[in-house]
Amino acid sequence: MKTRIPSAPSGVALGLPCWLVISVFAASAVGSEPQANPAGAPSDVRAAEAVSAWQFLAEVPIAGAGPSPLIDFVLPPSVFDAARVDLADLRLYDAQLRDVPYALRIRSEVDTTETVEAKEFNRVPDPAGGMQVSLDLGEKQIDHNELEVNTPGDNYRRRVVLEGSDDRKEWNELAKRDVVRFPSGDKAFVDKTLSYTPSRYRYLRITLSPDPQNDTRPVEIGEVVVRRRVKVPGELDVREVPCGQREPVRADGGPGSRWVLDLQGSGVPVDRLLVTVAVEEFARNWYVESGGPADANERFQRVAAGVWQRRAGERVQDLVAEFGQEVRAARLRLVVTDNRNPPLRLTAVKAAAPARVVIAKRPDSISASWLLYFGHPKAEAPNYDFARNLPQKLDPPPERVSLGPRQANPIYQPEPLPLTERLPWLIYVLLGAAVAVLAALIFNLARVAIRIADLRESAG
């Protein structure tokens, strides 16, 4: 007769650890789930944002009727100090807390190109082996100043003559130059663009002549593209900044002077300094360092260096320290090497960078000011259609208004902390419980193992 050896009780061995693991994960997950919107928040996904999640706001005064359908305002350092670096947490709301679509522009100087629609007519071969094509740009008088001529083949230099007309009878020459394509290693050198003085001619005529040295067959004109290339001027946001007392320091190469510049915000963009100096003649080396707030203990890093020079009798104007790149900083340090010369007398210092401009459509009725909300690190970028469809060049330009001072959002509600941060002792309780359960489990398994060993011994 064989003695039945009992197995370990699975309910005790597995049930308690599984329950324990589930409890620990459930407790750690509490507080990390998305929170329900407060009462009054929109219910649809598109606008499911409660203004109580934004920490700061500023008033946007709405101007009355004006010549432009748009208004805009420049963001001050008080916004950079609180908003996200990419400014994706900006929100505009009207008096009824309805979303106001906007476009955020960084007003650097840019070149923009737009294609002008053209309809081809009169494609005529030239007896000399060339070709002539005419284009109709339509009844609207649209500015155009660039033409791209595509012509098949390789290894050529072909002359193109561009003419313009309003009546298809009298033609005036706009441009004349060669289009080329020559092999160059694995690639090819290609130049097929003609630039000319901005014109509003409705009709264009392109005449292509063959390369007398390389073309043995008649040439053809492929696709022709008419464009309007526009240089959109930039806008500098120039702000005078407090300049601290001069500090004597050891600069590059000798004794020097240092000034600490407070940008009046954290993460303020700046790409140059404009410095007013009350000295008629000098030649000094300088460099600029960027750093964080005074209480951040952040080391300064050099961002630019150069030489300032002014000769006797020259026109007195601001000295410019260009960085060559934009930096985000709370403070700057300007260091000038004086050597054995008297220190420079700085009377004013201005920090500048391309302006960050918010553009929005002027409301039909003027009821109250808008409110700009900012200061929400987890907000999603709005990506308004209005911003994507807004052309680079605005004519007439938007009417400029001034953003009000930064205010604390009176209904701001910070995001709840996870349960483990609100109740830090809870994790120790759970860990202690886990240790106790595991100890009981090991003790139980040890008793079962001893019992099995005793039964096997008695059975033998």
Side-chain angles (χ1 to χ4, degrees):
M1 179 179 178
K2 294 183 179 180
T3 304
R4 181 174 177 271
I5 301 176
S7 60
S10 60
V12 175
L14 298 178
L16 285 177
C18 291
W19 168 85
L20 180 63
V21 172
I22 293 173
S23 299
V24 171
F25 276 100
S28 62
V30 174
S32 61
E33 298 178 357
Q35 302 296 313
N37 288 326
S43 59
D44 65 322
V45 175
R46 175 186 60 82
E49 295 179 324
V51 296
S52 59
W54 272 258
Q55 192 171 0
F56 300 100
L57 59 88
E59 186 177 355
V60 184
I62 305 301
S68 175
L70 303 172
I71 62 174
D72 70 4
F73 55 88
V74 178
L75 297 178
S78 59
V79 173
F80 303 128
D81 195 29
R84 281 172 37 174
V85 173
D86 60 0
L87 301 175
D89 58 335
L90 301 184
R91 296 293 186 274
L92 265 181
Y93 289 102
D94 63 12
Q96 287 73 41
L97 287 183
R98 292 176 300 197
D99 230 352
V100 178
Y102 69 86
L104 175 65
R105 292 280 173 83
I106 301 177
R107 295 295 307 277
S108 303
E109 184 178 272
V110 295
D111 285 335
T112 179
T113 303
E114 300 175 4
T115 301
V116 178
E117 186 176 354
K119 184 178 180 181
E120 180 186 318
F121 68 96
N122 288 353
R123 178 178 284 264
V124 181
D126 190 309
M131 179 167 283
Q132 188 176 87
V133 172
S134 299
L135 302 175
D136 183 358
L137 306 186
E139 297 180 356
K140 295 183 179 179
Q141 291 188 334
I142 302 176
D143 287 341
H144 48 89
N145 57 2
E146 187 175 278
L147 185 78
E148 179 184 314
V149 181
N150 292 279
T151 173
D154 204 358
N155 195 26
Y156 60 75
R157 181 184 297 273
R158 298 167 182 164
R159 175 55 57 96
V160 175
V161 177
L162 173 65
E163 300 170 290
S165 174
D166 285 325
D167 55 10
R168 297 169 55 180
K169 296 179 181 179
E170 182 177 351
W171 294 89
N172 298 299
E173 185 176 296
L174 295 177
K176 179 193 294 185
R177 71 183 303 256
D178 295 335
V179 293
V180 300
R181 180 183 179 90
F182 292 110
S184 178
D186 296 336
K187 300 182 180 179
F189 173 74
V190 180
D191 186 357
K192 54 185 179 180
T193 303
L194 284 79
S195 298
Y196 51 94
T197 304
S199 168
R200 290 193 175 187
Y201 282 126
R202 173 176 177 176
Y203 303 103
L204 295 178
R205 187 168 67 186
I206 301 100
T207 303
L208 176 69
S209 300
D211 185 334
Q213 296 183 356
N214 298 316
D215 288 329
T216 58
R217 298 180 180 180
V219 296
E220 296 182 357
I221 296 178
E223 182 185 17
V224 178
V225 182
V226 183
R227 298 191 182 99
R228 175 173 57 250
R229 181 177 293 277
V230 180
K231 183 180 290 293
V232 180
E235 177 184 355
L236 278 181
D237 181 20
V238 181
R239 300 177 184 276
E240 188 165 349
V241 296
C243 179
Q245 294 292 327
R246 171 190 173 270
E247 303 174 13
V249 295
R250 184 73 183 180
D252 289 348
S257 305
R258 182 174 68 190
W259 295 267
V260 178
L261 312 176
D262 184 1
L263 299 180
Q264 300 177 304
S266 179
V268 177
V270 57
D271 70 356
R272 71 195 69 187
L273 292 177
L274 308 176
V275 182
T276 305
V277 175
V279 179
E280 292 185 358
E281 184 179 6
F282 57 86
R284 307 289 172 88
N285 293 347
W286 59 266
Y287 64 87
V288 176
E289 300 172 314
S290 69
D295 57 353
N297 293 324
E298 182 180 339
R299 295 185 61 184
F300 282 82
Q301 296 182 346
R302 184 174 300 197
V303 296
V307 178
W308 284 332
Q309 186 172 10
R310 179 185 295 165
R311 293 183 174 88
E314 287 186 347
R315 180 185 170 206
V316 177
Q317 55 185 354
D318 286 346
L319 305 173
V320 181
E322 294 194 34
F323 301 171
Q325 61 180 345
E326 188 175 84
V327 299
R328 296 293 190 102
R331 295 182 300 159
L332 297 175
R333 288 200 308 206
L334 171 62
V335 183
V336 177
T337 304
D338 299 320
N339 293 312
R340 301 288 296 176
N341 303 290
L344 297 180
R345 297 193 305 274
L346 275 57
T347 58
V349 179
K350 303 180 184 69
R356 271 65 173 172
V357 179
V358 174
I359 308 170
K361 184 179 179 182
R362 186 195 302 272
D364 297 331
S365 60
I366 308 301
S367 57
S369 299
W370 289 342
L371 291 177
L372 176 71
Y373 286 84
F374 52 95
H376 185 356
K378 295 186 178 180
E380 295 183 351
N383 295 322
Y384 293 113
D385 293 337
F386 171 81
R388 302 180 69 178
N389 291 329
L390 192 68
Q392 282 290 338
K393 187 175 182 180
L394 304 176
D395 189 16
E399 183 174 350
R400 178 65 50 87
V401 298
S402 297
L403 185 67
R406 185 177 80 183
Q407 307 173 43
N409 185 358
I411 60 171
Y412 171 64
Q413 295 180 359
E415 184 178 358
L417 296 173
L419 183 61
T420 52
E421 294 187 28
R422 283 180 283 159
L423 304 174
W425 50 265
L426 181 61
I427 187 67
Y428 299 105
V429 172
L430 293 176
L431 289 175
V435 171
V437 171
L438 290 175
L441 177 61
I442 294 172
F443 179 75
N444 183 59
L445 291 175
R447 290 181 58 189
V448 171
I450 293 173
R451 182 180 177 188
I452 292 173
D454 291 343
L455 290 175
R456 284 178 175 172
E457 184 178 352
S458 61

